[in-house]
Every structure is written in structure tokens, then in C-alpha cells.
Amino acid sequence: MNDGPHEFSRRTSLKWLSAEYHDLNGDYIDILENPPTNLEFARIVQISRPVVIRGFKVPGVSSNKWSNKYLINAMGSRLVSVAVTPNGRADAVTLGPDGKLYFAEPAMERMTIESLLENLSDDMNSDDNGVSLKTYYLQSQNGNVYSSRFFQGLDDPSEFEPLRQDIPSEVKWCTEALDKPPDAVNLWVGDGSSVSSIHSDPYENIYTVVRGQKHFTLLPPTDGWCLDERFYPHATYVRTPDQGGSMTLQPSPGNTPPVRWSSILNPHLPGRLPPEAHPIHISISEGEAIYIPVGWWHHVRQSGITVALNWWYDTEMRGMSWVMLSYLRAMKDVTSGNSNDEKSDVMVN
Amino acid sequence: MNDGPHEFSRRTSLKWLSAEYHDLNGDYIDILENPPTNLEFARIVQISRPVVIRGFKVPGVSSNKWSNKYLINAMGSRLVSVAVTPNGRADAVTLGPDGKLYFAEPAMERMTIESLLENLSDDMNSDDNGVSLKTYYLQSQNGNVYSSRFFQGLDDPSEFEPLRQDIPSEVKWCTEALDKPPDAVNLWVGDGSSVSSIHSDPYENIYTVVRGQKHFTLLPPTDGWCLDERFYPHATYVRTPDQGGSMTLQPSPGNTPPVRWSSILNPHLPGRLPPEAHPIHISISEGEAIYIPVGWWHHVRQSGITVALNWWYDTEMRGMSWVMLSYLRAMKDVTSGNSNDEKSDVMVN
């Protein structure tokens, strides 16, 4: 690049960073047989690459505490917020009834854990080709177990109050390495028909599975240019009671800002990403955790009824890391997902 | 930048990174009243900003062990390698006798510590405007106290063997934070007439002053574009015995690769850097240390006879940090320092 022209495309620049990152880092993922010490984890955070952590102890994993029976007994008639979609794709790009593409938010419905579990399937092979009319996914991800209020010593009501005794509010070695408490702790309950579309978070993430199995497709921040991000208009699924409870996608008011989102629906399938992308595929089982560093792209599927917990920690804004993530984001030319110039990849996914 | 043109200059890109870095980080420098723990230092390395560390204990500082008398007694008639220049500017861009600019390496001469100290001045105001014909600086910086051989358990002869008992081979909290021993430990002895021109190292650096005072001008890696790096032909000072020991600059053979170096000789003086640069000026006294992170630019001066020690640790090549430093380097258009197109800044410094 040293002797190249003064002007060059942003894409060339992003490709250079992506290739250089891959040259130096490869696509390995470290597997720790036991949780790290705080110092070991501080070193891992500096490198900012995902790590699988075995022997991750959350109370009750070994004793099958997260069974339907236990959850129903503990939660009783309490209502919890559940995302409902016709296709398992909450927060994903979806074709609307008007033939336009939208970033679709799920409907949120409140139900008991018992109702939720009745709507989930333990079929390990179920996927979005199933005949289910609706997909339920407990994925409220707003600090549904502990929010930042909890860590500020404020009143922090939770739909999952009865489960708090089984869910530690922090991951000690992570809190010590980062020198701060989590910002949010979430419980996730879903089945094989729910998928989290590929995205990245402004958080350091410790994600553990306490029942079932999750399948992650991970890409480093430098591979973001491979994801065909576009601006999509916002829409929300609504239940239409007069039509037997079927769902329709309702475009949001015109002044709702469009959402920048990847057009690649299935990055885990062969041929969906450009050949320069270097996805890492890893499955996380009961008793394992994965560290997903800030800015890493992840697409998440699951097998059968899966219960997971995650601890989000605010990222370090000082230093170079956040500057770099902002730069990678700013360098991308992001066009409209409904432009006539070039069809979005989402149509073939 | 999101809505900008597809093509843009590398300089625009570097300026964006530099401004964004400064927006997020400011130009503060943390001062620790005591050395950090290994965990605290691991967090500091992640942020990769300089930190001043007070209460940095090296044996003998309080008891004036690093006096001339002590050094002469301990070292006796042993010869040590000393850099000699006519102007105190070793490893700097210098005008040659042919009117061309060169990257000038010092002559290396071997002498006793006693001879070296006789050639140094404790005058706090001496600088390169002095009348001294030659400037001496013990700055061999090749692991002159402990080299990587020492840490590999190999025989590691040192010119400073008798001083090893006073110089710890490692900084414990740094070794533990980085999970590796140093790569090189160096002793530096000079006076106010010697200057280290602005440069960056591929090392994490713990630098402490045990006698005197050093004055650092620091710039983050993102400010590198402000330094007017150019390619200069290589030359070395040689002593010409037949002319009373005066020195001349001898260009190296034509096949010696040119050296990429900053054209800004005095970045610590007002007006020498572009207004977008954000230099940090900090003085380090006896018993203090500074952490200079990998890739940070530094220019170093000293007051009177100054004795310093530093521990260089190999940088972490995994993750994003090294990729980013390579990118910042690759994005710069570096021309010849002797091109007719545009005169190098070095002439006015």
C-alpha cells in the first residue's frame, strides 16, 4: 500500500485491514478448560478475540435446574415479555407485504413461562422451514435479570425475580479484569426456530448456555465490510386478532430513522459471505461460556429448547479500540436496502 | 464520513482517526502515586496510553548509588560502547557535507565510564548550541544490561556486568501483566547535549530515571501523520584522526536501504508540529518511571548528567493493535527527504 496512489477506495482500505487482521490472527479460537483468572482475562480482553470457557459454573447446571418443571415451579403465574414473530427472525431484514424490505422488530407479548415453554419445541431439527405459525423467543435483552439500576444500588424490578437466586449478578473474574460491574444481565429462552441475525454489540459479552446448545457464527470487526450493511425502514410485527392471530409487518411512521443492518441472513451457510470473510463457527453447550469481544459480529442459532444467560459489560472507550471500531463503521458506504441500483443479498438468503 | 465520496485521500483518513482519537482520549496523562499491580497494569496496557509511575524502586536511587564515584568504582577499567556525534543528534536527520539530508548514525567508540563521565556536563542549560566539538551518549540500547539471551537462559555477556546487581532484570508487575519476560534491558547515560529524535518502537517500554531528569514529548500513534516522515539515505559519523579528531558524516554504500524517519527535529518547540497534533510534554525525575506504549511517538531530552534504565517487552502481535499500527504506517505517503518537489521541514528546525 505504501507506493499506491494518493486516492483509493474505502473498500480497498477495509479489505487491507481485513486481510492484515487475518494474516496476523488466523481464525483459531482459544478454548480454556477452566475459567480464567482476572489477570488472564484482562490479557484476553486486550487481544479482543473470542474465547470458549469450559467449566463455567452457574448454580444448578449439573442438577438440571433449568428444566421446564423447575422454571414453571419457580416462576408460577408471573408474566414475562416474549418476542413473537411468524418466522423466528426478530430484529432481522424481512420482506414486507408491500414487497419492500424492512428491519422487522418482533411483537412483544406477555405470558407465563409455562405458556412460553408449551410453545417451544425440543425437536433438534426444527428450523425456520417448520410449519409453526408463530415463533416465541424470550430475548428481551434489556437487563431482564439485572439491569444497570441494580449495579447502581437502585430498585431494579425484574420479571425473573424468582430466578435471581440461581443467576449470579456478575462474573467475578470479568468484573475484576474490567474494573466495573456488568451493565446488564439477560436470560434467553428459545428453541431451534429462533435465530439472532448477525450483528455486533457495543459491549464485552460473557455468554453461557445452561441448557441446550447454541451455534455461533463469529466474524472479527474487520470483516464487517463483508456483511452488506444497508439502511432499512423500520417495521414491527403486530398480531391481527380478527384473522386468527396471524401476524403482519407494520411499517413504522415515516419519521422513524432507518436501521443500518446486514443484508446477509444466513452467514453460517456456505457461499453467503464473500470469499475474503473468515467466519468462525463454534457451538456452546451446557456448562460452557463464550467471550464475545466488543465489535465482533455474531449470528446465533440454537438446538432444541435452549436456556442461556449473558453478562454485558460496558466497553472501554479510552484508547484505540473504540476509535478503530468507529472507523471501520464510518469507512463503509451504506446505501438503502430498497435501492433499485443493486438488489440486496437478503432476497437470495 | 458516512455520506462522503467513495474516494478520499489517505490524509483525510489519517486526520479523521487522529481527531477521533483525540476526541475520545483528550491529552491527559495519568499519574500513579505508586506502581500498579499486575492486574492494574494489564488494564493500562489495554488502553495503551502513557502513564507516569511514581515510587518506582530501583535499588540505590535513594542512596545516590548512581553517582559518578559509584559508577567509576564499580566499572573500573572496563570499556563500554558510547555513541559519539558532533551535535548530540544520534539517529536523526542531518545535513551532510554535500548539502543532502541523511539519517545519521553515531560513531561508536569504546571507553571507560570514567572517560565518558569526564566528557559529560552537569550544566543544566547545556544544549546543542554549546561549543562542544563532540557529544557522548551511552545509548547502545541493544539490551546492554540484559539481552533476550539472558531471558532464554543463555550466556549473556554485558559491558555492564558489575551493575547488574543494581538493575533488576524485569519489572515484576509488567512481566506478569504481559505474561512474558522483557526482550531487552538498557542503561542510558548522557547529558543535556544529547537528544533522541522523535520515533516509535515496536515495544512496550518501562522507562525510569535513576539520576537527573528526562523530558519527553509524546504523540499517540494516530498523530504519526503530523511528523513528516520521509526516506533519507543512511550515513554514519566517522572520526577523522588526522584532523584533530573532528567528525564527518560518511554516506553508506548505495545499496543501503534508505531510512524512513521524521523530518521534525524539535517537536517540543512551538510551531514545529501541525496544529492538529496533540503533543504531551512530561518530565520524569529520579524515582519516577513512564510507561510508553507500543507505537507511541517520543522525543527525549535530558537535564544535566542523566542516568536512566528501560525495560523493553515485545508487543502483543495478536488482536487489533498491531494491525492498526501497521495501517497507520501504510496509509502515509512517504516521499524522499531530498526530493526537489517540497523541501523537508528539517531545514528550518
Side-chain angles (χ1 to χ4, degrees), chain B residues 67-80 82 110-121 136 138 160 163 189 211 305:
Chain B
S67 66
N68 285 13
K69 187 174 166 198
Y70 171 77
L71 290 169
I72 292 165
N73 274 345
M75 291 290 292
S77 60
R78 296 175 69 100
L79 300 181
V80 301
V82 175
R110 301 197 78 210
M111 62 189 71
T112 61
I113 278 274
E114 187 167 13
S115 300
L116 168 64
L117 290 166
E118 280 166 7
N119 281 304
L120 298 182
S121 159
Y136 296 81
L138 193 167
F160 303 96
L163 300 182
V189 182
R211 171 178 167 189
I305 296 181

Side-chain angles (χ1 to χ4, degrees), chain A residues 88-219:
Chain A
R89 298 192 177 274
D91 304 325
V93 176
T94 308
L95 196 61
D98 56 359
K100 278 177 71 176
L101 293 167
Y102 289 91
F103 173 82
E105 269 201 34
M108 289 302 276
E109 297 185 7
R110 300 196 79 209
M111 61 189 72
T112 62
I113 278 274
E114 187 165 13
S115 299
L116 168 64
L117 290 166
E118 280 168 5
N119 281 304
L120 298 183
S121 158
D122 232 343
D123 179 355
M124 299 293 280
N125 299 313
S126 72
D127 60 20
D128 55 344
N129 297 321
V131 292
S132 167
L133 198 63
K134 281 176 285 293
T135 297
Y136 296 81
Y137 191 14
L138 194 166
Q139 54 128 32
S140 38
Q141 61 190 286
N142 53 354
N144 60 21
V145 184
Y146 302 97
S147 83
S148 59
R149 292 181 57 84
F150 179 88
F151 301 102
Q152 289 159 18
L154 302 172
D155 184 41
D156 182 34
S158 162
E159 291 177 344
F160 303 96
E161 199 89 42
L163 299 182
R164 277 188 171 170
Q165 60 183 309
D166 302 313
I167 302 173
S169 62
E170 60 174 356
V171 178
K172 197 161 177 291
W173 40 263
C174 185
T175 297
E176 289 173 1
L178 304 179
D179 199 22
K180 57 188 152 201
D183 192 61
V185 183
N186 299 299
L187 173 72
W188 310 71
V189 183
D191 67 10
S193 56
S194 278
V195 171
S196 294
S197 62
I198 194 155
H199 68 284
S200 64
D201 298 308
Y203 293 109
E204 306 288 2
N205 192 353
I206 307 290
Y207 198 111
T208 189
V209 174
V210 292
R211 171 177 167 189
Q213 199 178 39
K214 293 245 178 186
H215 313 288
F216 292 82
T217 298
L218 300 156
L219 288 166

Side-chain angles (χ1 to χ4, degrees), chain B residues 107-166:
Chain B
M108 289 302 276
E109 296 185 8
R110 301 197 78 210
M111 62 189 71
T112 61
I113 278 274
E114 187 167 13
S115 300
L116 168 64
L117 290 166
E118 280 166 7
N119 281 304
L120 298 182
S121 159
D122 232 342
D123 177 357
M124 297 294 278
N125 299 313
S126 71
D127 61 19
D128 53 345
N129 298 320
V131 293
S132 166
L133 198 65
K134 283 177 285 293
T135 297
Y136 296 81
Y137 191 15
L138 193 167
Q139 54 127 34
S140 38
Q141 61 191 285
N142 53 354
N144 60 21
V145 184
Y146 302 98
S147 83
S148 59
R149 292 181 57 86
F150 178 88
F151 301 102
Q152 289 158 17
L154 301 173
D155 185 39
D156 181 34
S158 162
E159 291 177 343
F160 303 96
E161 200 89 43
L163 300 182
R164 277 188 171 170
Q165 60 182 310
D166 301 313

Side-chain angles (χ1 to χ4, degrees), chain B residues 2-54:
Chain B
N2 251 335
D3 303 311
H6 285 236
E7 303 290 322
F8 67 117
S9 76
R10 294 180 182 191
R11 200 170 172 88
T12 308
S13 185
L14 290 171
K15 282 188 176 186
W16 189 99
L17 280 162
S18 166
E20 186 84 358
Y21 182 85
H22 187 253
D23 282 355
L24 271 177
N25 289 282
D27 40 24
Y28 77 95
I29 186 165
D30 264 350
I31 297 177
L32 306 182
E33 289 304 325
N34 289 294
T37 65
N38 51 20
L39 178 59
E40 285 163 351
F41 190 64
R43 291 187 204 122
I44 289 167
V45 170
Q46 195 215 333
I47 297 169
S48 202
R49 284 186 65 81
V51 169
V52 173
I53 300 154
R54 293 191 174 139

Side-chain angles (χ1 to χ4, degrees), chain A residues 1 5-10 13 16-17 21 24-25 43 47 176-177 179 318-319 322 324 327 331 333, chain B residues 1 5-10 13 16 21 24-25 43 47 176-177 179 318-319 322 324 327 331 333:
Chain A
M1 196 176 230
H6 285 236
E7 303 290 323
F8 67 118
S9 76
R10 294 178 182 193
S13 186
W16 189 98
L17 280 162
Y21 182 85
L24 270 177
N25 289 281
R43 291 188 204 122
I47 296 170
E176 289 173 1
D179 199 22
R318 292 169 298 172
W322 189 256
M324 184 66 180
Y327 184 68
M331 289 285 279
D333 290 308
Chain B
M1 197 173 232
H6 285 236
E7 303 290 322
F8 67 117
S9 76
R10 294 180 182 191
S13 185
W16 189 99
Y21 182 85
L24 271 177
N25 289 282
R43 291 187 204 122
I47 297 169
E176 289 173 2
D179 200 21
R318 292 170 297 172
W322 189 254
M324 185 67 179
Y327 184 67
M331 289 284 279
D333 291 308

